[in-house]
Amino acid sequence: MSRFFHWGKGDAVSSLLNIVGMAVAFAALYILLVQVHGDLSYNRGIPDAERVYRASAEFSGTYYSDICRPLGDRLIQEAPGIESGGLLFYNGAVPGFVRREGADEGPFDFRAGVLHCYVASEGILNTLGIRLLTGNWAELKGGPEAVALSESASRRLGVESGDEFEVLYDSHRRRYRVAAIFTDPRGNGDFSSLDLLSDIGSENEDRWDNWNYTYHFKLYPDTDPAEILQMAETLLEETRGTSRALSLTALPDTYYDASITLGARRGNRATTLTFIAVALLVLLTCFINSVNFFFSLVPVRMRYLNTRRIFGASRGSLVFSFVETAVLEALAAALLAAVLVRLFGRSNLDNLLSYGVAFQDHAGLAVLTLVGLLLLTAAVSVYPALYATSFAPAFAVRSGFSASSQGRRLRYALIGLQFVISLGMVICSTFIRMQRNYMMNHDMGFDRENLVILNEFPVVPDYEDVVADRLRTNPGIVGVSWAVDDLVADSRMAWTENWDDGERIGYSVYPVSWNFLRFMGIEITEGRDFMESDRQSEEMVFVFNETARQRFGLTLEKSSIRGKTVGFCRDFNFQPLSAQVEPLCFCVYGKHPWQYNNTLFVRTAAGADIGGVFEHIRSVVHELAPGVTAEDLDVRLFDDALQACYSKESHLSRLLSLASLLTIFIALMGVFGLVLLETEYRRKEIGIRRVNGASMSGILVLFNMRFVRIVLVCFVIAAPVSLFVVQRYLENFAYRIPVSGWVFVGSLAAVLALTVLVVTLRSWSVARANPVDSIRNE
């Protein structure tokens, strides 16, 4: 460590700046790699994941990851290429509790957090590589209270096989018995949160018209998925006399497959590639900076090297000394980067990633990143070390490569590359942020002003009127309505049906309360709106959107066979703005609902005390469901909920903005090093200019113009590349912003201003120095 700062004050300052720059770049690299590794490894931890396929079926031009049980079960039983298979679908999240030992009543004394519950068939265990540690699947058929818990969930609850525990479901306490305990699914993916399994039983096992079940099949090695699809088509033709487009997607590919509507988390391949590119660009600017700092310090280091050579040091030992120092500086930067990563993990910025950045959660990645950075640092430092030790011992520094035109071109080319990267990232991050803001402020076709929502409302059915009356006692609340889940979502329940003429239609379904459309300001274009009496209808009541009417030729007389269509409404965006408006129907179930409205929508008065409204909602819910505490209730503004739909764009924008600042910071450090070198070499020239009448401002302009020209040339290169990237990005959105020229001009102006500021501050002391002293010292 003693070699760090043994070359003088200038070397120490530059080395310290270099370490800080590397630390910032190393921290950014690790943080970005955490996200990239998580995305690329998604669903790959499942044993033989490349042989596990998820089945999907086409409805009205869109593929959904659902098929019917008879088809899935027969394929598992009869298809020779299927090794195992089973169904698995999400059934909600509930808080889990246990009671005090020996107590049958009274409050719960331990909370295990939220349990993610799934319904499954036995074959899903072998398909996903899950083992039963205790019990057997047959015990799950002993009744609805018998369930299997994951190993981690059983530890959180503190229960074993045979024990009982309870959950809070719709404000009711349900008691379950642990019939089996299974191993946690391996790796990061769709099944990481699998806590509780219950057996599907005979539910809809003979219904070919109920396509609501997600199946996974594990194929034998070398089995062609096309053979399974052909058999599925044959079964449909033989049993139903119809055909339907089906697909099988390998488990590792489901994360990036945008053609299929999944009930699971989905990634964006372009986003992952962007993170990789940004990580590499940050690393590149970091090492370019290190090389430039090295060349800026050649005059300071040459005397030390010459002295060592005169006293017999070999060139090899000097090269090793340089490389060793570079590696030690990189190691110091890595230690500082670890501190920055920990600070990042404890800040709100951690929410920008889908995965936590704690080193203990990514130990292998952290070690590989550190080793890779140290090896790369050593490799990058070899050329500068060979160059610095290539001179004869008594060589005059100022006639060397550092002052030659060849040396200057190399240094300015490296700085130029940094500016190309910085300008490109600034332009791209600005457009991504503008697109996100556009989507947040776009008129989606319904009234979203003063809107508050509460998901997963924890009160028993038949509560709507009681809750509405109690909520309206607060003068800040002017309206209340209900629906099943969020109004704007990537996917929702979908139905298909065959008309008598053989045509097949498919549409999304959104169950709501009878006053929902007028509450949201959604205009009826034909027929009527829902009425309160529709709640007592013997059949379901529908209102379709205009897209459904036009695509399927619907009328009030010719519409769905599932229920009664009473009207049509104006189109609105019920999906994020990356998608066009698709067919949708609002549905009031009538007097025989098979699911209940679980999302509360509240309209507040203009200027109402939002904090007071939130507290009032929580108090009303707690009064009706005493087992629910205020912390359990996710009351929020609608716009805050809408942001979740654009979290990827928001996170990408913020991460790119941070990366842009980092690359600019590192590039400006490189500019600082170059100006340091220029001022050292041109002190005599500047002194002569001053003696001949040059002003201090003229000297500053002289230094600045070189870097202004570099930035302008870099902008000419960065602008078309950025335009190409931005256009490809915006193509992912059905509703998008125009590509505005002012973004390019503004980015150029910002980078130019910062560059001029750094150059001026660094060259100020040389420009104002006494020219006589400069000439005499030279």
Side-chain angles (χ1 to χ4, degrees), residues 224-274:
D224 186 353
E227 299 174 8
I228 310 301
L229 294 176
Q230 182 58 51
M231 182 174 180
E233 290 290 339
T234 302
L235 285 174
L236 287 174
E237 288 284 355
E238 291 177 351
T239 59
R240 309 300 295 171
T242 61
S243 63
R244 176 176 293 182
L246 302 172
S247 71
L248 291 175
T249 307
L251 207 54
D253 299 330
T254 57
Y255 185 61
Y256 288 120
D257 194 342
S259 65
I260 300 176
T261 300
L262 303 172
R265 198 169 81 197
R266 171 178 287 129
N268 185 305
R269 194 180 300 276
T271 300
T272 302
L273 293 175
T274 300

Side-chain angles (χ1 to χ4, degrees), residues 580-601:
Q580 296 280 4
V581 176
E582 297 293 333
L584 170 87
C585 86
F586 289 101
C587 170
V588 171
Y589 280 131
K591 64 189 304 182
H592 305 294
W594 49 273
Q595 63 181 156
Y596 295 95
N597 295 324
N598 59 8
T599 300
L600 168 69
F601 292 82

Side-chain angles (χ1 to χ4, degrees), residues 97-113:
F97 298 86
V98 294
R99 291 187 185 277
R100 295 188 183 92
E101 185 175 356
D104 293 327
E105 299 295 337
F108 299 107
D109 69 338
F110 176 77
R111 179 165 188 174

Side-chain angles (χ1 to χ4, degrees), residues 186-208:
R186 289 169 49 185
N188 155 56
D190 293 335
F191 316 104
S192 301
S193 63
L194 200 158
D195 295 321
L196 182 150
L197 287 175
S198 57
D199 181 64
I200 183 66
S202 60
E203 176 184 294
N204 293 322
E205 64 181 359
D206 297 321
R207 288 192 58 181
W208 289 85

Side-chain angles (χ1 to χ4, degrees), residues 71 108 130 138 154 156 166 236 267 326 348 359 410 425 432 473 485 530 609 613 672 697-698 725-726 741 765:
L71 177 61
F108 299 107
I130 298 173
S154 66
R156 291 183 352 239
E166 299 189 47
L236 287 174
N348 292 331
F359 292 115
L410 173 62
M425 293 182 65
I432 292 174
T473 60
D485 299 327
F530 296 119
D609 176 13
V613 169
F672 180 90
S697 60
V725 173
V726 167
S765 61

